[in-house]
Amino acid sequence: MRARASRAAAIMALALTTSVACRTGPPSQPGDPMLDAIRAEERQGDLSYVESQGKHLFLHYCATCHGDEARGDGQNASNLSPPPPDMTASKSILDATLLEKVITQGSAAVGRSPLSPPWGRSLSRQEIDYLVAYCQSLSRKKTQKP
Amino acid sequence: MGVAVEVKTIAPPRLHLVFAGLGLAFLLIFSWVLFHEGTAEWRTTQARFRRLETTVKNPHQLAQSVSVAGLRQIWLPDLGRVDRCGTCHLGIDDPAFTGAPRPFAAHPGTWLSTHPTDRFGCTACHDGQGQATDYANAAHQPQPFVSRPMRPLETIEANCGACHRALDPPDAPRLAEGRRLIIEWGCFSCHDIPGFEGLTFRGPALDSIGYKVRPGWLSVWLGDPKSYLPQSRMGKFRLSPDEIANLQGFLLSQRAQAPLDNTGVDWKKADTANGRALFGELRCVSCHAVNGRGGTMGPELTRIGDKVRRPWLFSYLKDPHRVQPDTPMLRYRLTDDQLRDLTAFLYEEYSSAGAGPEPTPATYQDARLLAAGHAVFERRGCASCHQLAGTKDTGRIGPSLAGIADRDPDELPYGSNIVRHTTDNYIFLKVLLPDTLGQPSSMPTYGFTPADAAKIALALASIRKTDLPASYVLRRPAPVPYRPGGKFGELVTRYRCLSCHSVGGFGGDLSTVPLDRIGSQLQHDYVAKYLLNPGAVRVSVEARMPVFHMLPEEATSIADYFSTVFLDDSIEQYDTNFTAAETRRGEELYGQLGCEACHQLGTKGGYVGPELSASGARLKAGWIAAWLSTPQRYKPDTLQPDYGLSSTDVRALTAYLSSLGRRDAAKARGGDAR
């Protein structure tokens, strides 16, 4: 019984990931379940590859303060004054130049508190670009899903 | 065709007509070829590029740029590749074409600076048909009969893995995660997997399992390990009820070594409250989860009382190394009373109500059953993960995965799954649902999530058949096993330091602190005290150093060893005669740089980095300075940013941090001891 149940669950999951991926692209027959499983993971296929690379970095370097979804609710946020803003609702993230400056040189470089650290010397150019792309994707999420 | 018909029907005197016809046909074919080549897709593309170039580049640049006309190809004999992609992707390595329309846009990111096209070409990373010169034949999209169309970006990291054999190439998180999962789940116990040689994955030894587990638990476990332990690393072997019964009887008869004597233990006196306190103090949850929370190095303990027998548990806690010499579990220094309390606590707290009384260990006499159980044990390759004396070493029971990425996708089975026939999909399905591929399979079902299965498959899809030239392959040298001798070695073995810490890359990574230069980082007296009563240096980290109940002389000898052997000469010499002005400047900088965002000082500050209130009594000045100057050098993925500090600023901060928590220094600063 149990065997069948777990098998059914796995097949369901497979079918689900396939259908999720199909919603975003033209339905392809027969499917690519491996690709679909990967796409389904990145916020239901909503993130581009570059943005999802940024998300991986964000979770490692930034989420303790900014929160896993960048809503300003990280574990360490309560120790910060001013606290990290909810980036999904922030206007700053629309401005790529400003974003890049905050990330590479720290929030002090744009006349704010020194609490967001400068990453320019620790992360590669490529990694900074990924982070900028991810931060910018946060505004899209807001406008697409009210 | 028409020509051939003419030849048959026409008589010799009309030969000139035949020649005329043939000539005409050749002319037609020839002009068709000329026309076709002249209007080839790549020519029209290049014409579009030349028009675009005049708008992108200024006249001066334009005069200097190479004219584009004709096929362009990169020939890489080392890789056996000819890539003509540059025939159309004309702006690919020219930053002037950033943001240009496809196919002329410059390559995004900084990839080409680390992977120049004249060394790597295009298809080494992207796949696709490099020799083709039009969109369809280059297999930008999957094509019938093309086994390697271009990879979508989501799975491209499989190709990173072909050269990047070190376990976690930067910028390839999915590949890194896939490889981590392969290690965590021990796929290499049953399969030869290139890149994972020399790793071992061990389930518990089974020589004395008859004394260890309850019979009822064992049959449930053999049926489906996940029904007892959802995180179980043992897969489900899809055994028949008969197989389970035979295997259960066979295993329960394994009683090589009786548990340590516990006849002197008066269980009625057991104090479970003390057991609970010990459970917390020993930091068991650093490695074992209970009720879903805690570490994953050891098995979850939530229902341990349903699984093991009490005498065995007592004996195991007293000396885990006797039963399982290679276990990561350490041997605490506890008295028999403490062991009794801890055993009783685990046994009562973590068992479900229906476990029932404990039956006495029994030897099964039925020889047929034992033989049948033994046969199942060997047939299903149990010995790949579990040691059991007297069983044949079946070695790796599964097929080698060398070259798996180059298997012909059309020869692989897919069962009734309606999927595109690609090696990726085959590997994915095999990992996720091994018994649905229409062939009998003895691979157990692990119950991975599709996302995890996909990452494992991605990591396996990087294992190509032919090895690349050595100049392309990036390997990380295998760590040299570190096995110190003497008194220190004994302590390292007993307290299993290397289950969590590493030396020279060898050992565990549960702790954030490798021991290689620990003697230059921490002060001797602090280490000696800390080992006796380890507190949390980092508030936010769940896994903590256990309280070992170590003897004071043991702690001192470890501290002595650290401060004579684990040293880094480059940071040992540091002038610690700080001036008051330096200390004051350091305090200022501490505020300006926002250090308190991550570090606690007194009651103020964040939880991300270690607490600094007593750093003057904990850290050596040379280390503070070295760390602040180049943190990534010591820990590449650390959250401590490199602030690019000048050496004067580093010195000032070092002076300030060295003054914290030291009474003498506090007095010198004006009495304020934080």
Side-chain angles (χ1 to χ4, degrees), chain A residues 6-7 12 24 29 32 43 46 52-53 64 73 88 103 106 109 124-125 128 135:
Chain A
S6 71
R7 164 89 68 80
M12 276 286 284
T24 54
Q29 266 277 338
D32 272 318
R43 207 198 282 150
D46 228 18
S52 75
Q53 296 287 88
T64 41
D73 55 356
T88 61
I103 299 175
S124 68
R125 179 74 250 154
I128 302 279
C135 292

Side-chain angles (χ1 to χ4, degrees), chain A residues 3 7 10 14 31-33 38-39 41-42 49 52-53 60-61 76 79-80 114 117-119 121-122 126 130, chain B residues 109-111 153-154 157 171 174 236 419-420 425 432 435 455 592 597 605-608 632 637 639 641-643:
Chain A
R7 164 89 68 80
L14 208 91
D32 272 318
I38 291 182
R39 284 189 177 148
E41 205 192 13
E42 305 295 348
Y49 176 75
S52 75
Q53 296 287 88
H60 179 74
Y61 288 101
N76 191 42
N79 299 316
L80 300 170
W119 299 100
R121 286 187 196 78
S122 317
Q126 181 74 62
Y130 285 152
Chain B
T110 55
W111 292 104
L153 289 176
E154 283 85 350
E157 290 169 19
D171 290 334
R174 299 187 181 92
K236 181 174 157 178
V419 298
R420 225 158 48 74
N425 284 339
L432 187 68
D435 57 331
K455 282 178 224 152
Q592 274 169 22
Y607 304 146
V608 183
Q632 275 70 29
D637 62 348
L639 265 61
D642 181 344
Y643 282 86

Side-chain angles (χ1 to χ4, degrees), chain A residues 11-49:
Chain A
I11 291 176
M12 276 286 284
L14 208 91
L16 215 79
T17 59
T18 315
S19 70
V20 164
C22 284
R23 252 187 284 134
T24 54
S28 55
Q29 266 277 338
D32 272 318
M34 168 171 158
L35 187 58
D36 296 342
I38 291 182
R39 284 189 177 148
E41 205 192 13
E42 305 295 348
R43 207 198 282 150
Q44 275 71 51
D46 228 18
L47 292 185
S48 75
Y49 176 75

Side-chain angles (χ1 to χ4, degrees), chain B residues 178-383:
Chain B
R179 286 177 171 169
R180 195 192 63 73
L181 286 165
I182 289 175
I183 293 178
E184 183 177 317
W185 290 82
C187 311
F188 43 78
S189 312
C190 293
H191 299 278
D192 249 320
I193 312 182
F196 295 84
E197 295 90 354
L199 291 170
T200 50
F201 175 83
R202 283 260 148 239
L206 301 178
D207 300 295
S208 309
I209 187 172
Y211 288 116
K212 173 178 177 182
V213 302
R214 290 159 163 263
W217 172 87
L218 186 56
S219 57
V220 170
W221 175 264
L222 292 173
D224 181 5
K226 289 215 173 342
S227 66
Y228 166 77
L229 194 65
Q231 310 78 350
S232 163
R233 308 271 160 74
M234 178 161 142
K236 181 174 157 178
F237 282 79
R238 306 183 299 271
L239 299 170
S240 71
D242 276 351
E243 286 176 315
I244 293 177
N246 295 340
L247 199 49
Q248 182 202 29
F250 171 68
L251 289 174
L252 290 176
S253 308
Q254 305 302 322
R255 293 195 290 154
Q257 185 188 40
L260 290 167
D261 181 31
N262 66 41
T263 43
V265 178
D266 184 355
W267 291 103
K268 285 197 205 70
K269 281 210 194 123
D271 175 0
T272 50
N274 185 41
R276 181 190 297 276
L278 277 167
F279 187 75
E281 183 188 270
L282 304 175
R283 299 296 315 171
C284 305
V285 291
S286 288
C287 300
H288 300 275
V290 285
N291 299 318
R293 289 202 54 191
T296 55
M297 194 185 301
E300 171 152 359
L301 298 178
T302 311
R303 288 163 68 195
I304 188 73
D306 300 356
K307 171 181 176 183
V308 301
R309 298 167 179 279
R310 195 169 66 179
W312 180 89
L313 186 56
F314 176 86
S315 166
Y316 183 77
L317 291 171
K318 186 163 180 173
D319 186 359
H321 305 165
R322 175 175 172 268
V323 187
Q324 178 86 35
D326 57 356
T327 177
M329 165 101 172
L330 67 107
R331 188 174 163 203
Y332 291 97
R333 199 176 275 289
L334 299 174
T335 64
D336 275 7
D337 284 354
Q338 286 172 318
L339 288 164
R340 176 199 63 203
D341 294 350
L342 186 60
T343 306
F345 165 71
L346 286 172
Y347 212 68
E348 276 162 36
E349 177 83 8
Y350 298 123
S351 60
S352 47
E358 201 171 281
T360 44
T363 299
Y364 287 68
Q365 302 297 349
D366 182 348
R368 264 205 10 239
L369 178 142
L370 292 180
H374 193 161
V376 177
F377 189 90
E378 284 180 356
R379 191 170 68 245
R380 300 309 297 270
C382 307

Side-chain angles (χ1 to χ4, degrees), chain B residues 492-564:
Chain B
V492 167
T493 309
R494 168 164 196 143
Y495 296 116
R496 288 292 196 261
C497 309
L498 298 177
S499 291
C500 302
H501 297 271
S502 63
V503 174
F506 177 79
D509 62 357
L510 188 61
S511 163
T512 52
V513 188
L515 300 180
D516 304 78
R517 51 174 74 82
I518 194 81
S520 296
Q521 295 172 275
L522 300 179
Q523 298 177 16
H524 175 278
D525 294 354
Y526 168 78
V527 173
K529 245 186 280 160
Y530 180 75
L531 288 171
L532 292 179
N533 189 11
V537 177
R538 233 168 259 266
V539 191
S540 61
V541 178
E542 276 217 352
R544 301 213 187 129
M545 275 271 278
V547 176
F548 301 102
H549 288 251
M550 195 181 266
L551 303 174
E553 58 269 27
E554 291 177 333
T556 315
S557 76
I558 293 177
D560 290 347
Y561 193 87
F562 281 4
S563 54
T564 41

Side-chain angles (χ1 to χ4, degrees), chain B residues 381-401:
Chain B
C382 307
S384 296
C385 294
H386 297 281
Q387 179 195 318
L388 179 54
T391 51
K392 203 167 69 210
D393 181 8
T394 38
R396 297 206 162 88
I397 189 109
S400 161
L401 303 186

Side-chain angles (χ1 to χ4, degrees), chain B residues 599-640:
Chain B
H599 297 276
Q600 281 219 324
L601 200 59
T603 55
K604 201 171 154 263
Y607 304 146
V608 183
E611 202 205 319
L612 296 176
S613 309
S615 48
R618 192 165 76 86
L619 302 169
K620 287 186 157 183
W623 167 243
I624 301 181
W627 174 254
L628 287 174
S629 316
T630 51
Q632 275 70 29
R633 174 168 159 215
Y634 298 103
K635 190 159 181 272
D637 62 348
T638 179
L639 265 61
Q640 162 84 35

